[in-house]
Amino acid sequence: MIAVRGLTKRYGGVLAADDVTLEVAAGSVCGLLGRNGAGKTTTFRCLLGFTQPDSGEVRFDGEPLAPRTFERLGYVPERPGLYGWLTVAQHLEIVRRTQPRYDAAFATELVATFRLDPRKKARRLSKGQQAALALIVALSPRPAILILDEPASGLDPVMQRVVLDLLIDAATSGAAILLSSHQIGQIDRAADQIAIMRDGRIVVAGGLDDLREASRIVEATFEGTVPALTGLPEMKIELAGTSVRAHANGRADVVAARFGALGATSVRVLDRSLEDLFLDAVDDGGDR
Amino acid sequence: MAYVEMLRARRVLVWFAGVLAVLVVLVVLSATQAHHRAMIDHTTILLSAILGGAAMGPLLVAGFLANGLNAEHATTAILWTRPLARPAIAWRYVAVDLAALVVAYVLTIVAALICMAAFGVLPWLQADAHSVVTVPLALACPAMLYGWIQLIAARLPGRAGAVAGGMWFAMLVLTPLLIAPFPPLLHDLIAGLDYLNPLIWLGNHGSSEDGPMLIPFSTGWRAVGAGLIALVALVASIQLWSTREA
């Protein structure tokens, strides 16, 4: 389990991470979303001890970060920090020599899956292959905790699917996974919970299904004029002519029934995509 | 993680051995010219001079080896996510590099002996009282240079090469400046800097030809002193490296 509480990191006058609190349980994939500069990478760097937070607490399976944490923690950086002059096989040798839980058979399987030549030097690999090698380095010890910063960037769509399947398999096996990606489709496919960051803060967090349920919109059309909308729970309502859009805050069924009772000629409950949720959360009112 | 540094050190040593081999071949070819042999008078060659001079090999190699740990800023995602404390990782790198300095030293001695044999002067080589203590001194001085580079570059990721170049320039400039006729204040400043100069510790140049030595210690104590400076520089550099932010 990954537990972050009140994590704050300031660079000069910039609050890169502001009171970040999140929890990723074993067997869960948490998608961390946010625009560039939202604080995702800073959060990761604080989690991994690459930089010291100004305040806050990070725990892995209840313990603070220590060298031995990395026996069960795998990390895939945004840019694969590989040894360009070493071969794929030599990268695996590094992992074999340093990770007690290194699974050689699994590593070989991953090398074959990503179609990497073990004799090829990292600098001779394509961008996607380098990303794949970084993934293999992180995944081959079968870590119980995975932190991935844009792990599938540079991979072709087929390989992206393979990566997501690997992550889902790992979570099914009990791994706690924190995954950042700009490709919302990837998060939508792999994650069961999300956290959306904006200006260093987590502005939306929760189970993906719960958030979707909470964000459903009820759209109703009335004949003539819209009647007085009484008996509705408190929520945001948009009026446009004879149509009403209600942000139902998780009570779509109640709202739809009430619109029906008020004489609506048509009532539709609209599911919202993760992309809609994301855009709502990061909307600063000026960019779109 | 010593594995990565072993591969890196091996690469440096292969290059170094290659350069030495080329130089040895050139010297051997030159030795076949009869007039060169005739120019050499029969004399005694002190073993300590060869052992001390051979320190130039590891001194050259030290600058390249010091790049290893420093270059790891680009691979932090791998290096700092191993289940090892950062100082332990760094000390392993240093241990490999120091071992590589010993190999470079041995290679240089072997190359020197081959060259001497080519000129037929090997029989004139004579062990002297300083021979044994010259070995640790000849290893401590490159270790000192290695330590300085690590220390200066500890918070300058990826700049160890430039620091090594600067160090060599400073060492080579500061050594002759010590006997230059400068005003006392400037001379003292240069002498102060020269206390940190591995070449001075190795050669023990005096402030003038007949004047007192800058470092008035015996060869053995100079080895201890240079070794201690190297150790202090390495401890400080590893502390800085381990606590830097990635």
Side-chain angles (χ1 to χ4, degrees):
Chain A
M1 177 199 257
I2 306 168
V4 184
R5 303 217 188 295
L7 188 85
T8 300
K9 177 68 182 178
R10 187 183 286 276
Y11 291 108
V14 179
L15 204 51
D18 182 7
D19 195 26
V20 173
T21 295
L22 62 88
E23 205 165 271
V24 186
S28 181
V29 179
C30 176
L32 187 61
L33 293 165
R35 297 180 66 176
N36 291 331
K40 305 184 297 292
T41 299
T42 298
T43 302
F44 284 167
R45 285 154 52 89
C46 290
L47 284 176
L48 295 158
F50 290 178
T51 189
Q52 287 302 311
D54 297 328
S55 62
E57 186 182 57
V58 177
R59 293 201 169 251
F60 297 98
D61 296 333
E63 295 173 5
L65 183 73
R68 72 165 188 269
T69 307
F70 290 108
E71 283 181 13
R72 56 184 200 283
L73 192 159
Y75 169 57
V76 179
E78 188 177 2
R79 270 174 257 158
L82 302 168
Y83 296 92
W85 54 286
L86 295 187
T87 64
V88 170
Q90 285 170 326
H91 278 86
L92 297 183
E93 180 63 14
I94 294 171
V95 187
R96 188 189 72 75
R97 286 171 180 248
T98 53
Q99 292 288 3
R101 291 161 48 150
Y102 175 68
D103 185 338
F106 184 46
T108 307
E109 185 188 321
L110 290 175
V111 168
T113 302
F114 287 108
R115 297 179 181 177
L116 298 182
D117 179 353
R119 295 161 301 174
K120 211 167 183 180
K121 289 192 172 169
R123 66 165 167 257
R124 303 255 177 249
L125 299 174
S126 69
K127 192 181 167 199
Q129 288 172 321
Q130 289 182 356
L133 180 54
L135 267 162
I136 296 170
V137 167
L139 291 174
S140 54
R142 292 190 181 276
I145 299 161
L146 262 169
I147 295 175
L148 307 103
D149 197 356
E150 300 276 349
S153 64
L155 291 174
D156 64 52
V158 175
M159 286 304 154
Q160 285 184 14
R161 176 60 67 92
V162 170
V163 170
L164 294 180
D165 288 344
L166 282 168
L167 298 183
I168 292 166
D169 284 351
T172 307
S173 305
I177 300 174
L178 182 58
L179 163 70
S180 144
S181 176
H182 282 303
Q183 298 188 34
I184 292 173
Q186 291 177 358
I187 300 285
D188 206 2
R189 180 171 156 70
D192 54 86
Q193 57 171 308
I194 61 162
I196 301 176
M197 292 190 78
R198 178 181 159 184
D199 300 331
R201 295 183 70 89
I202 290 186
V203 289
V204 171
L208 194 47
D209 291 340
D210 294 341
L211 289 171
R212 275 212 185 94
E213 174 63 30
S215 68
R216 288 164 88 190
I217 289 176
V218 181
E219 202 172 71
T221 308
F222 293 89
E223 242 180 43
T225 55
V226 176
L229 300 173
T230 56
L232 287 167
E234 194 173 319
M235 63 187 155
K236 182 181 169 190
I237 292 177
E238 297 164 20
L239 287 169
T242 57
S243 292
V244 179
R245 279 168 64 89
H247 295 254
N249 295 334
R251 304 184 68 182
D253 294 343
V254 173
V255 174
R258 182 64 190 151
F259 280 155
L262 289 170
T265 52
S266 77
V267 178
R268 290 192 305 157
V269 177
L270 305 175
D271 285 328
R272 305 201 71 215
S273 67
L274 177 56
E275 189 174 4
D276 292 331
L277 291 178
F278 171 72
L279 292 173
D280 279 352
V282 301
D283 183 20
D284 55 14
D287 287 6
R288 290 188 299 124
Chain B
M1 292 309 295
Y3 171 68
V4 173
E5 193 56 10
M6 277 193 270
L7 294 174
R8 196 180 267 128
R10 186 180 71 181
R11 205 165 59 151
V12 170
L13 287 173
V14 165
W15 273 100
F16 179 65
V19 171
L20 273 184
V22 169
L23 290 175
V24 167
V25 167
L26 290 175
V27 170
V28 169
L29 288 175
S30 166
T32 56
Q33 307 293 317
H35 66 277
H36 279 173
R37 295 175 80 111
M39 284 163 59
I40 302 170
D41 290 331
H42 184 286
T43 184
T44 296
I45 300 174
L46 294 178
L47 180 59
S48 61
I50 299 299
L51 294 175
M56 291 311 289
L59 273 168
L60 285 169
V61 167
F64 293 96
L65 290 172
N67 265 310
L69 192 60
N70 188 258
E72 292 288 356
H73 73 99
T75 48
T76 306
I78 294 179
L79 191 71
W80 280 7
T81 56
R82 303 299 99 193
L84 284 168
R86 285 178 204 163
I89 293 172
W91 277 115
R92 284 168 198 222
Y93 272 63
V94 169
V96 170
D97 290 344
L98 294 182
L101 288 180
V102 175
V103 174
Y105 184 50
V106 172
L107 288 173
T108 313
I109 291 170
V110 170
L113 294 178
I114 292 172
C115 292
M116 289 172 68
F119 279 101
V121 299
L122 202 53
W124 305 345
L125 193 62
Q126 200 169 74
D128 57 309
H130 296 294
S131 300
V132 175
V133 285
T134 301
V135 173
L137 177 65
L139 289 169
C141 292
M144 185 175 165
L145 173 62
Y146 174 85
W148 285 136
I149 298 169
Q150 291 286 19
L151 180 60
I152 296 168
R155 291 286 170 98
L156 301 170
R159 301 286 168 83
V163 171
M167 279 297 297
W168 266 102
F169 178 77
M171 287 192 313
L172 293 173
V173 167
L174 284 174
T175 303
L177 285 185
L178 192 60
I179 53 171
F182 283 124
L185 189 64
L186 188 55
H187 180 270
D188 289 350
L189 177 68
I190 292 166
L193 288 172
D194 262 327
Y195 276 110
L196 309 175
N197 185 345
L199 289 181
I200 293 291
W201 283 80
L202 180 66
N204 199 17
H205 298 270
S207 57
S208 71
E209 206 166 318
D210 300 312
M213 297 293 190
L214 181 66
I215 300 163
F217 301 143
S218 66
T219 306
W221 281 112
R222 275 188 288 139
V224 171
L228 281 174
I229 291 173
L231 184 64
V232 169
L234 285 172
V235 168
S237 71
I238 287 174
Q239 173 65 19
L240 288 174
W241 182 85
S242 303
T243 52
R244 74 178 171 85
E245 297 212 334

